[in-house]
Amino acid sequence: MCLWCRIRQKIPKKKKTYYAAHVMTPLLSAPGKKMAAVQDAPMELDAEKETKPEILSDGTSNLSGNTASGTLSSPPLTAGGAPKQEDQQTLIAVLQFLRRNKLTESVEILRREACLEDQEDSQTLDGSGGGKGDGDGGDANSLLSRVSIASAAAPQSTLTPIPVKNDQPDVSVVLSAYSQQGDPSLYQVYYSSLKNFIESVLDCHRAELSQLFYPLFVHMYLELVYNNHENKAKAFFEKFSGDQECYYQDDLRILCGLTKKEHLKGNEALLDFRTSRFVLRISRDSYQLLKRHLQERHNNQIWNIIQEHLYIDIFDGMPRSKSQIDSMSGSFAGETRREVNKAKVFYGLLKEPEIEVPLDDEDDEAENEEGKPKKKKTKKDSMGSKSKKQDPNAPQQNRIPLPELKDSDKLDKIMYMKESTKRIRLGPENLPSICFYSFLNAYQGLTAVDFTDDSSLLAGGFADSTVRVWSATPKKLRKVKSAAELNLIDKESDDVLERIMDEKTASESKNLYGHSGPVYGVSFSPDRNYLLSSSEDGTVRLWSLQTFTCLVGYKGHNYPVWDTHFSPFGYYFVSGGHDRVARLWATDHYQPLRIFAGHLADVTCTRFHPNSNYVVTGSTDRTIRLWDVLNGNCVRFFTGHKGPIHSLAFSPNGKFLASGSTDGRVLLWDIGHGLMIGELKGHTDTIYALKFSRDGEILASGSMDNTVRLWDSMKAFDDMETDDFTAATGHIHLPDNSQELLLGMYHSKSTPVTHLHFTRRNLLLAAGAYNSQ
Amino acid sequence: MTEREERRFAEVPRESIKLMAESTGVELSEEVATLLAEDVCYRLREATQNSSQFMRHAKRRKLSVEDFNRALRWSNTETVCGYGAQDALPFRPLKEGELFFVEDREINLVELALATNIPKGCAETMVRVHVSYLDGKGNLEPQGTVPTAVQSLSEDLLKYYQQITRAILGEDPHLMKVKSVSHDLDQLNRLLHMVKSLVQNPYLYLGSYVRSLVSSVMYCILEPLAASINPLNDHWTLRDYAALLLSHIFWTHGDLVSGLYHQILLSLQKVLSDPVRPLCSHYGAVVGLHALGWKAVERVLYPHLPAYWANLQAVLDDYSVSNAQVKADGHKVYGAILVAVERLLKMKALSLTLAAEGGCAGLPGTATGAVGFRENSLGLSPPPEPLSEPPLGIASHLQAGGAGCPWEEWTPVSLPAMYCELYSFFGDSLAVRFSTDPPLGGAPPSGSRQPLEGRKEPASGAPNLENTRKMPQLTASMNISPRQDGSPCMEPQPPSLAATVPGRSLARSSSSSSVSRSRSSSSRPGRSTSQSRDIFPKARFPLPQVGPPAFSFIIGGRQMGRRCQGRRFQTSFTPTPPLTTLPPRAYAHKLPVIGRVSKPVRRWTCSHYSLHLPL
């Protein structure tokens, strides 16, 4: 085994050392005055322990006992199909690995769990089983998840029988999936005969069957490589790589360099490619055609690959056209299986707590349940009208425990409503004004920007590992006085909140030091008291905007954390990173509450659904997944992007999702139906920022190509086909109407757009670093 | 993956591996080295792939050393690539072999430490906010709407635009549409300067805007401005300058406007052939033609001359008082035509010479463009850097523009024939001017040339061979001439000027004949306008030895008008660079617009708004 692999395997050890720090962090670093997150949600804190059973009782999840300290999700993609025996095989492999790395604690837990309930393990993706439940489970949990990613992700779904060394399985056993099956010199013949066949079939079938080229090509190539036929592999690649769709170029580039069996072992992406089945959707007719051909020709080699490594989702009806196929393909794992997106998603918004300007009677509103009769419906603010009735598509109000509103939150809500009345109604004729926040002298490299919801604060994350906060209003940023000084303050006075601030510290901006690597994501809490930042150093940090100090460092990712985002109700946040999982955290827990695993590559961006019940993640594997916060399930899986996804945005009504990627396209998705509903072409470079206007009328996209573009999202949503047939089959015809939908394009001369934000009155704020070169 | 495929990637050859191994004292077998080399290549690619992720997340386009180090670090490998830098590291090729390396300058620490100019630290990172687009439109200016063409400009260009409009016009007329500007000469003048600085700005790609710029310049050249009714308004200068600018545009952006050339010629021709148009328009057309080069003059003006001459003659022959004004204008046109024609003849003669000489040796350092335009096969390319030459005056620029004509074979009319015909119009004035600069002393086409000179110009035989000196001398004389010109609104001549200018030409000229001529010209200021008027009727007939009366008819009125205008204008920009030694200071007044207008400094005053906006 090469050096690199070995080193990689050692990484989990590091975690051990982190662990000690972990436990202490939140407690120690909480500031004297306030216990950071704890005060936010006192109920949540003590309820936390009870929450678990609660969730279990009403959750429909298939997770049995292991929600307690981190739900390991079980994405449908990879879960099914593996016989039980192999799972045991896998488990043994994992145990072996753990033992070798002297992780005895985990070994014990795993053994206990595995022996007791190996059926459960067969459901969990990570093989090692999430259920380390009680006690110190946190460490084992994060550790195991890591293990599963670094090395053991592979074992579960290997399909080949593992014959001999049952007692001494190795991680490399996985690779035996590519045991020699045919004469390597015939691979080219096989492939080209299939190619000839596909090219000779009727047009309507050709497009569908052409989907086979890429996965077959990759698998055959890898097989050749695995079996040490280096030269044949090269020849094979040379001959057929040109046939692949252009959007697979990136993958081909990786493949091209990979010519040795040893290389295979270290390459996680390809490991995943082999272990997860590439999904193709083919009509029954085309499939029959293919099957007949392969059987006639006795082309077993290809047939075996199709059987073992591909998942062909057969549907009845007309074959799809080339454009239909192209719009959905491009991801690293093929298309979405139809059944994956069938789960019900409660995309509606939660009912707004009803707040009267005199704050008297809203205590029970937050927990108001659906059927509960409202007593005071009469004199509510007109703006809240849409939230009066419970949206049928909304989740139950307490599906996810949310923090109770504080007085300050209510004040803010009132402010929000007041502002809303002054909101400009946007539309194609009434485009928003754009304000550009240029970061000047940002030599160190601006990597992330966020605005508070009320646009009063602005935070920038920089590559020199600093986070800087600016006030976007004339109000300066002030720290709270020191503890000693606070003692001198008359706590009864009316302006105590004013008095606790230290005037001497007033300044336009504050720097936050603490990270040890570039800061890739920043996110303000909705109440503007906290700021999250995620960094290359593998941590997410929570900063207080009262004291401008770091409160908590959330460690768990252990690899660069690319993005983080606060829940719209505060308290929860999500992060995603290079370790290919997204994690759900609560501010007062140092361990993640959920781990969303399933992406085959880095999780590049994460966003909370407006109702806080779902989390969406975009990944380098060119897919988007929507996760249920309640049970950690992946409920939506969107493919269609041709490049890593770098921006996501929910429409304000929660029904739609927009995603932008390096391919310069914005795709629009209907969450309820699980369909792609629009494609917005025009940008020429990576789209780093997406934002819907407050009413959802306009979608703004900002890109590296120094432009902001405004799109008519209303029109895009109205144009979509939502008839039953489309919904049932998922075959969409995308109108090519990007130009009609484009309402405006606005250039900055040399400032890539890093972030976009609509103020409460629908003024568009854009931010980016002026690039003088 | 064959050779072609392989070459997509950086490769570490086996030999390098062996070499490295040897340097650490390890002997590698061939086999091991091969394997190692392959693995190294793969690992390098892998690390590069991984590092690109760091680049993308840092929202950069350029992979940095830092990114690569991070990728290495995260695969638990020692970081080996040194320290990162913000600036791109230029790779330098080594001449021998295909070796590229990053330049690593040695830094003298002692020098650095003892240096007195302590480098400033980086400015603090800050955020500045500005309203980029209001209501989705680029109307930034509070006092009015920005024209549509401006909307598409980027924000920084928009700022630039604002700076320009504020600096130049103080109002908000459309950048490209001169017509929206009033007929205020002052404004037009500034506008022309702006166009000029736009054209000169090497960082600005004008693209299709050149066309609109050209059209606005054409407007300035040809339009019978309301302001030209008042004889006190110096619209002549404006036209001259616009013509100069036109030639400059064609020179610098010839590729962009090549299609316009014939269009412009046509429109100029139309104006010229339209007798209804006022004389000032005609003047503009002539000057414009001149600016477009002698080819243009030959093709358009020359064939037109017989028809036009009748009109002009009628004007000039009218002695009525009411006609005085028009007549003065007529004189100007006459002068312009004369200059243009003279240029034409000279260039033709020159081209003949050069063609005969193999087009090489002639004029090494004379007309600034002599070298440049010959290499340049573009349809019409005035010489390089007409603006960097000492500002000899508009005429010199025109000359430069004219000189930059292509060396084509288009010569429908032979030189002698042309000369004869032109002589029939201009008479001696042409002869005199033409001979002021006979650069072709012993030129081969003497068959045609010598007789001409011998006939018309007694002094032509003078050993006037020094080409290098001749061209400037010509320009000087052209500049002088307006002093004697009898334009009605002529300002009192600065006494120093009369002395200095001929002096200069004297100094510069090595020909005795021209010396005497300049002397005589300066000694004859007493020749009144009436005297010069007489020339016209007589011009039909050879009037050989009357002296150089026509000398005074060269582009007239240049010095009249509001001198201070130009001055004032220049100060509104960055300070005018001191005019170089050649022209006396007085010239600077006369010729306020000699391409010395530096472009407006880009200032960032706008960016100093507070972060606060009413959100």
Side-chain angles (χ1 to χ4, degrees):
Chain A
M1 184 181 294
C2 77
L3 178 68
W4 285 31
C5 307
R6 201 168 299 147
I7 288 165
R8 209 161 256 251
Q9 284 172 359
K10 281 184 190 156
I11 288 171
K13 268 193 195 166
K14 267 193 192 167
K15 185 137 345 159
K16 199 80 175 171
T17 54
Y18 282 142
Y19 178 45
H22 258 221
V23 190
M24 310 303 294
T25 331
L27 299 173
L28 288 180
S29 51
K33 171 93 190 354
K34 289 187 171 185
M35 280 293 281
V38 182
Q39 274 219 338
D40 266 45
M43 173 216 97
E44 191 54 36
L45 182 60
D46 32 13
E48 184 56 35
K49 285 197 184 81
E50 300 101 71
T51 315
K52 306 311 171 189
E54 203 179 301
I55 287 176
L56 283 176
S57 59
D58 59 20
T60 53
S61 82
N62 52 1
L63 294 153
S64 24
N66 54 357
T67 353
S69 67
T71 307
L72 297 181
S73 67
S74 46
L77 235 179
T78 44
K84 200 187 293 175
Q85 211 197 348
E86 279 160 41
D87 280 297
Q88 266 183 346
Q89 186 72 40
T90 312
L91 274 176
I92 295 167
V94 173
L95 276 173
Q96 197 97 38
F97 173 80
L98 292 175
R99 213 175 293 136
R100 204 170 47 227
N101 289 295
K102 302 201 177 59
L103 301 164
T104 47
E105 215 174 339
S106 318
V107 171
E108 257 170 54
I109 296 164
L110 179 57
R111 173 154 287 167
R112 203 166 57 230
E113 297 282 327
C115 296
L116 289 179
E117 7 173 346
D118 21 55
Q119 281 158 339
E120 174 207 323
D121 286 304
S122 70
Q123 291 177 344
T124 56
L125 167 77
D126 287 359
S128 44
K132 321 95 248 134
D134 32 43
D136 57 351
D139 180 46
N141 161 41
S142 55
L143 181 117
L144 282 176
S145 70
R146 183 57 219 155
V147 170
S148 70
I149 281 137
S151 51
Q156 307 88 28
S157 38
T158 56
L159 296 173
T160 41
I162 301 166
V164 239
K165 304 194 288 178
N166 238 351
D167 48 350
Q168 280 292 324
D170 194 87
V171 180
S172 63
V173 162
V174 188
L175 296 174
S176 65
Y178 283 132
S179 59
Q180 178 119 20
Q181 287 177 342
D183 184 354
S185 54
L186 290 178
Y187 274 44
Q188 289 201 22
V189 180
Y190 291 145
Y191 189 87
S192 42
S193 89
L194 182 74
K195 190 176 149 193
N196 290 338
F197 162 69
I198 290 176
E199 278 166 1
S200 68
V201 297
L202 286 175
D203 279 357
C204 61
H205 299 301
R206 190 189 303 150
E208 288 209 308
L209 292 179
S210 299
Q211 299 176 81
L212 277 168
F213 282 141
Y214 174 69
L216 276 180
F217 170 79
V218 176
H219 279 293
M220 291 175 87
Y221 177 74
L222 291 179
E223 235 169 69
L224 285 172
V225 170
Y226 178 76
N227 292 317
N228 289 324
H229 303 299
E230 189 180 333
N231 291 329
K232 297 210 171 61
K234 282 183 181 174
F236 184 78
F237 188 94
E238 174 67 12
K239 186 155 183 200
F240 298 114
S241 63
D243 301 342
Q244 311 306 325
E245 298 281 355
C246 54
Y247 40 80
Y248 290 122
Q249 278 306 316
D250 287 347
D251 296 346
L252 292 180
R253 208 170 295 137
I254 298 175
L255 274 185
C256 172
L258 188 142
T259 52
K260 292 249 185 301
K261 193 173 173 179
E262 291 76 39
H263 299 164
L264 272 180
K265 286 180 189 161
N267 199 319
E268 289 160 18
L270 290 171
L271 219 69
D272 282 340
F273 187 85
R274 288 199 310 279
T275 54
S276 66
R277 295 169 130 211
F278 197 92
V279 179
L280 302 169
R281 289 166 104 176
I282 292 181
S283 72
R284 190 170 296 283
D285 292 349
S286 307
Y287 181 70
Q288 296 294 356
L289 211 61
L290 175 73
K291 200 171 166 187
R292 213 177 308 132
H293 166 77
L294 290 176
Q295 280 169 354
E296 272 168 20
R297 296 291 183 88
H298 302 290
N299 201 341
N300 285 329
Q301 188 63 33
I302 288 190
W303 187 243
N304 281 341
I305 292 178
I306 292 177
Q307 291 286 307
E308 287 177 14
H309 299 299
L310 308 187
Y311 179 94
I312 299 190
D313 192 1
I314 300 164
F315 61 87
D316 294 305
M318 288 283 289
R320 294 186 294 167
S321 69
K322 178 95 175 94
S323 67
Q324 278 178 313
I325 292 167
D326 277 349
S327 67
M328 298 299 288
S329 55
S331 95
F332 197 64
E335 284 190 56
T336 321
R337 296 188 206 192
R338 265 173 306 162
E339 71 269 15
V340 172
N341 286 345
K342 290 296 179 230
K344 167 105 173 127
V345 174
F346 301 101
Y347 56 79
L349 298 186
L350 294 179
K351 201 171 61 62
E352 286 288 319
E354 298 179 16
I355 298 165
E356 204 50 49
V357 178
L359 299 163
D360 41 18
D361 51 359
E362 59 284 325
D363 305 39
D364 52 344
E365 290 298 322
E367 301 109 300
N368 244 345
E369 291 203 14
E370 194 176 356
K372 201 169 168 182
K374 307 289 178 299
K375 287 162 279 185
K376 40 213 183 260
K377 266 189 178 171
T378 41
K379 38 184 182 168
K380 296 303 175 236
D381 186 18
S382 64
M383 285 309 287
S385 59
K386 66 177 171 201
S387 56
K388 286 278 163 46
K389 279 173 274 152
Q390 177 77 31
D391 186 334
N393 291 310
Q396 281 194 337
Q397 206 73 12
N398 59 353
R399 189 169 180 266
I400 300 292
L402 293 173
E404 208 177 341
L405 286 184
K406 291 179 294 184
D407 283 354
S408 57
D409 295 334
K410 289 169 186 166
L411 279 171
D412 196 50
K413 282 259 186 272
I414 292 167
M415 277 304 293
Y416 174 76
M417 286 175 180
K418 280 183 184 163
E419 292 275 336
S420 301
T421 57
K422 297 175 189 164
R423 179 182 297 164
I424 297 161
R425 182 111 184 137
L426 297 180
E429 286 79 39
N430 198 7
L431 294 177
S433 305
I434 305 175
C435 257
F436 210 105
Y437 285 71
S438 303
F439 287 72
L440 306 176
N441 308 321
Y443 307 110
Q444 65 275 55
L446 177 73
T447 43
V449 180
D450 195 29
F451 286 95
T452 53
D453 185 67
D454 67 350
S455 319
S456 63
L457 295 175
L458 165 66
F462 292 87
D464 67 350
S465 66
T466 58
V467 178
R468 287 155 206 256
V469 183
W470 282 270
S471 168
T473 61
K475 207 174 136 193
K476 300 232 164 137
L477 300 175
R478 295 171 300 176
K479 286 184 186 175
V480 174
K481 286 177 184 167
S482 71
E485 286 173 273
L486 284 175
N487 274 333
L488 305 173
I489 290 173
D490 175 14
K491 291 170 188 65
E492 303 305 315
S493 68
D494 290 340
D495 57 345
V496 67
L497 286 178
E498 195 52 34
R499 289 190 184 199
I500 59 171
M501 306 312 287
D502 188 355
E503 275 306 324
K504 280 174 291 192
T505 60
S507 65
E508 228 176 58
S509 77
K510 296 274 184 218
N511 292 1
L512 305 174
Y513 300 104
H515 280 296
S516 58
V519 179
Y520 291 122
V522 287
S523 178
F524 279 106
S525 75
D527 62 1
R528 297 188 297 283
N529 280 326
Y530 306 107
L531 175 69
L532 279 173
S533 62
S534 70
S535 160
E536 189 250 7
D537 62 12
T539 63
V540 179
R541 280 177 187 270
L542 183 75
W543 309 84
S544 164
L545 298 180
Q546 303 292 335
T547 60
F548 293 99
T549 52
C550 181
L551 303 178
V552 196
Y554 300 95
K555 297 172 183 172
H557 275 290
N558 286 307
Y559 277 99
V561 188
W562 298 131
D563 198 11
T564 185
H565 189 236
F566 243 115
S567 151
F569 297 94
Y571 185 59
Y572 299 106
F573 65 91
V574 63
S575 65
H578 184 55
D579 57 1
R580 296 183 284 168
V581 295
R583 287 161 201 252
L584 178 82
W585 310 75
T587 44
D588 56 355
H589 283 60
Y590 59 85
Q591 309 154 358
L593 301 182
R594 300 285 184 274
I595 294 180
F596 305 113
H599 278 298
L600 299 182
D602 299 28
V603 176
T604 48
C605 59
T606 55
R607 282 291 174 274
F608 252 100
H609 191 275
N611 68 18
S612 193
N613 279 253
Y614 297 92
V615 159
V616 70
T617 56
S619 162
T620 311
D621 67 9
R622 310 188 282 265
T623 63
I624 299 159
R625 283 170 186 268
L626 186 74
W627 309 87
D628 192 335
V629 167
L630 180 66
N631 50 31
N633 284 336
C634 174
V635 288
R636 287 290 179 269
F637 180 53
F638 296 132
T639 60
H641 272 297
K642 314 287 189 261
I645 287 131
H646 275 273
S647 52
L648 291 165
F650 280 103
S651 69
N653 61 10
K655 279 174 84 171
F656 305 105
L657 174 71
S659 60
S661 90
T662 53
D663 59 13
R665 300 181 313 148
V666 178
L667 296 183
L668 302 172
W669 310 90
D670 181 347
I671 294 168
H673 295 96
L675 292 175
M676 184 195 295
I677 51 170
E679 178 190 24
L680 307 175
K681 285 185 280 193
H683 280 292
T684 56
D685 209 331
T686 307
I687 296 161
Y688 279 117
L690 279 173
K691 195 81 179 185
F692 281 95
S693 69
R694 293 280 173 162
D695 298 321
E697 307 264 1
I698 301 268
L699 172 66
S701 61
S703 157
M704 274 285 271
D705 64 11
N706 301 346
T707 60
V708 174
R709 287 172 206 243
L710 301 179
W711 310 89
D712 190 344
S713 54
M714 257 358 218
K715 188 161 183 288
F717 296 147
D718 291 343
D719 287 354
M720 73 179 198
E721 324 164 24
T722 40
D723 54 282
D724 292 342
F725 175 77
T726 314
T729 58
H731 300 170
I732 39 122
H733 292 275
L734 281 186
D736 188 17
N737 56 353
S738 295
Q739 282 316 305
E740 296 165 38
L741 296 177
L742 179 65
L743 297 177
M745 177 172 75
Y746 305 98
H747 285 276
S748 67
K749 188 178 180 192
S750 188
T751 310
V753 183
T754 320
H755 188 77
L756 290 169
H757 176 79
F758 275 96
T759 68
R760 290 172 172 177
R761 298 185 188 182
N762 265 339
L763 173 67
L764 178 56
L765 309 183
Y770 175 71
N771 179 10
S772 51
Q773 287 151 11
Chain B
M1 229 168 53
T2 55
E3 293 272 16
R4 186 177 62 80
E5 203 63 49
E6 293 275 7
R7 252 183 257 121
R8 275 197 218 161
F9 303 98
E11 265 202 85
V12 182
R14 194 171 52 215
E15 289 74 26
S16 308
I17 298 283
K18 284 181 91 172
L19 209 66
M20 283 177 222
E22 274 168 26
S23 70
T24 53
V26 185
E27 196 68 36
L28 289 182
S29 73
E30 195 78 357
E31 211 176 319
V32 174
T34 315
L35 285 174
L36 265 178
E38 278 183 19
D39 199 53
V40 165
C41 292
Y42 175 71
R43 299 299 166 197
L44 271 179
R45 281 172 214 171
E46 198 183 33
T48 314
Q49 290 281 347
N50 291 340
S51 55
S52 72
Q53 228 168 22
F54 289 93
M55 173 194 73
R56 273 206 299 270
H57 281 280
K59 302 186 166 81
R60 267 183 281 117
R61 280 198 191 85
K62 211 177 270 172
L63 194 71
S64 73
V65 176
E66 288 287 308
D67 295 330
F68 200 81
N69 277 342
R70 289 217 167 81
L72 289 179
R73 196 153 66 82
W74 282 110
S75 37
N76 275 14
T77 311
E78 217 177 316
T79 57
V80 291
C81 283
Y83 298 99
Q86 286 296 319
D87 308 322
L89 299 171
F91 272 90
R92 306 211 174 279
L94 202 66
K95 270 191 184 141
E96 302 83 27
E98 292 186 5
L99 182 61
F100 293 83
F101 64 97
V102 177
E103 198 178 30
D104 204 0
R105 272 190 308 128
E106 280 182 15
I107 294 174
N108 187 343
L109 280 180
V110 178
E111 221 168 70
L112 194 72
L114 301 178
T116 46
N117 55 335
I118 298 156
K120 277 185 289 180
C122 304
E124 203 189 337
T125 309
M126 55 182 166
V127 184
R128 283 290 170 259
V129 63
H130 40 91
V131 180
S132 304
Y133 297 94
L134 263 186
D135 298 332
K137 299 177 198 71
N139 49 346
L140 260 182
E141 286 166 321
Q143 74 267 40
T145 54
V146 163
T148 46
V150 180
Q151 281 174 28
S152 57
L153 297 179
S154 72
E155 54 159 309
D156 296 71
L157 277 179
L158 205 63
K159 263 192 214 159
Y160 188 22
Y161 165 77
Q162 282 178 318
Q163 294 287 340
I164 289 174
T165 45
R166 200 169 305 155
I168 297 177
L169 301 166
E171 290 166 24
D172 59 342
H174 189 318
L175 177 69
M176 306 304 173
K177 272 191 195 148
V178 189
K179 277 183 188 167
S180 65
V181 189
S182 67
H183 282 187
D184 182 355
L185 280 179
D186 207 12
Q187 271 192 7
L188 283 175
N189 220 335
R190 290 193 215 174
L191 204 113
L192 278 184
H193 279 88
M194 181 199 63
V195 170
K196 171 138 190 173
S197 49
L198 280 177
V199 169
Q200 273 183 278
N201 189 341
Y203 302 106
L204 212 56
Y205 177 73
L206 290 168
S208 57
Y209 291 118
V210 172
R211 285 171 174 271
S212 25
L213 285 181
V214 166
S215 71
S216 39
V217 172
M218 289 294 287
Y219 174 87
C220 287
I221 294 178
L222 295 177
E223 195 64 15
L225 299 167
S228 39
I229 294 172
N230 184 348
L232 288 175
N233 282 336
D234 187 10
H235 57 103
W236 309 107
T237 315
L238 182 76
R239 292 178 203 282
D240 284 343
Y241 184 65
L244 166 63
L245 197 56
L246 186 68
S247 83
H248 183 64
I249 290 175
F250 272 93
W251 172 67
T252 45
H253 297 276
D255 47 336
L256 295 173
V257 290
S258 50
L260 281 180
Y261 181 63
H262 287 283
Q263 211 177 315
I264 287 178
L265 282 191
L266 276 181
S267 60
L268 288 174
Q269 187 175 6
K270 217 177 84 187
V271 170
L272 207 56
S273 58
D274 184 358
V276 185
R277 293 256 185 170
L279 280 169
C280 51
S281 287
H282 290 164
Y283 176 82
V286 173
V287 177
L289 281 172
H290 189 171
L292 288 175
W294 63 272
K295 280 279 173 204
V297 176
E298 183 176 21
R299 282 192 207 180
V300 180
L301 181 60
Y302 175 70
H304 241 277
L305 212 47
Y308 184 68
W309 190 255
N311 290 331
L312 187 61
Q313 198 63 48
V315 170
L316 293 177
D317 287 345
D318 187 349
Y319 291 104
S320 67
V321 181
S322 60
N323 194 41
Q325 174 65 43
V326 181
K327 187 169 172 179
D329 290 357
H331 282 310
K332 292 226 169 53
V333 178
Y334 178 86
I337 293 175
L338 188 60
V339 168
V341 160
E342 176 197 347
R343 191 78 243 129
L344 166 67
L345 284 176
K346 282 207 173 112
M347 290 320 293
K348 260 187 98 74
L350 194 63
S351 69
L352 285 176
T353 326
L354 287 177
E357 284 176 2
C360 53
L363 301 181
T366 18
T368 40
V371 183
F373 64 69
R374 210 174 308 142
E375 301 163 348
N376 208 333
S377 62
L378 263 178
L380 104 94
S381 44
E385 307 177 307
L387 301 168
S388 62
E389 67 178 314
L392 285 175
I394 282 172
S396 78
H397 281 279
L398 293 181
Q399 166 198 355
C405 280
W407 296 88
E408 287 166 12
E409 64 297 315
W410 190 74
T411 43
V413 188
S414 72
L415 184 61
M418 188 183 279
Y419 184 86
C420 290
E421 185 172 358
L422 290 174
Y423 190 82
S424 70
F425 294 131
F426 293 98
D428 232 31
S429 56
L430 178 65
V432 166
R433 292 205 40 78
F434 188 48
S435 58
T436 352
D437 181 36
L440 320 154
S446 49
S448 66
R449 179 97 189 115
Q450 282 304 93
L452 273 176
E453 294 203 338
R455 199 178 79 220
K456 307 297 175 202
E457 183 54 54
S460 71
N464 212 352
L465 301 175
E466 221 177 324
N467 295 342
T468 40
R469 289 302 174 89
K470 279 344 256 180
M471 302 298 268
Q473 197 263 332
L474 167 78
T475 59
S477 70
M478 280 157 68
N479 286 331
I480 303 164
S481 45
R483 307 269 129 59
Q484 280 86 34
D485 154 60
S487 69
C489 40
M490 172 173 147
E491 289 187 0
Q493 189 176 351
S496 65
L497 199 66
T500 45
V501 173
R504 182 174 134 258
S505 70
L506 202 155
R508 301 203 44 134
S509 142
S510 60
S511 103
S512 57
S513 72
S514 68
V515 169
S516 67
R517 191 161 304 110
S518 18
R519 278 215 181 111
S520 66
S521 75
S522 54
S523 68
R524 295 181 57 128
R527 256 192 110 88
S528 66
T529 45
S530 64
Q531 168 88 40
S532 58
R533 261 180 216 131
D534 294 340
I535 304 303
F536 272 103
K538 286 175 190 164
R540 296 258 167 122
F541 320 102
L543 243 182
Q545 300 306 334
V546 186
F551 213 59
S552 51
F553 280 106
I554 312 174
I555 309 179
R558 179 142 319 121
Q559 84 276 35
M560 58 177 196
R562 297 135 68 172
R563 238 191 267 168
C564 48
Q565 292 277 337
R567 236 11 227 174
R568 201 166 61 204
F569 167 69
Q570 285 195 333
T571 50
S572 83
F573 281 104
T574 47
T576 319
L579 292 164
T580 38
T581 51
L582 272 178
R585 237 180 320 140
Y587 260 142
H589 289 265
K590 294 287 177 307
L591 310 164
V593 291
I594 308 301
R596 277 291 170 171
V597 187
S598 54
K599 55 197 162 214
V601 187
R602 288 175 72 166
R603 269 165 270 146
W604 295 93
T605 46
C606 280
S607 64
H608 290 290
Y609 298 134
S610 127
L611 266 186
H612 173 57
L613 279 169
L615 299 173

